[in-house]
């Protein structure tokens, strides 16, 4: 997933994702699992 969006590493993606959604990718995934 992070590769598709061209994020260099997972932590950068995580910070961006949290800023965008207000939750971590893991929390988001659990919510919509």
């Amino acid at each position: 997933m992070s590769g598709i969006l061209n994020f260099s590493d997972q932590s950068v993606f995580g910070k961006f994702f949290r800023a965008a959604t207000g939750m971590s990718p893991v929390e988001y995934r659990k919510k919509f699992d």
Side-chain angles (χ1 to χ4, degrees):
M1 178 70 186
S2 59
I4 296 167
L5 300 173
N6 201 27
F7 285 97
S8 57
D9 69 53
Q10 198 63 43
S11 66
V12 173
F13 173 74
K15 285 175 190 164
F16 178 86
F17 192 94
R18 186 179 284 278
T21 66
M23 63 183 82
S24 73
V26 175
E27 290 168 333
Y28 185 88
R29 221 176 287 131
K30 282 180 187 166
K31 185 175 180 181
F32 294 102
D33 199 355

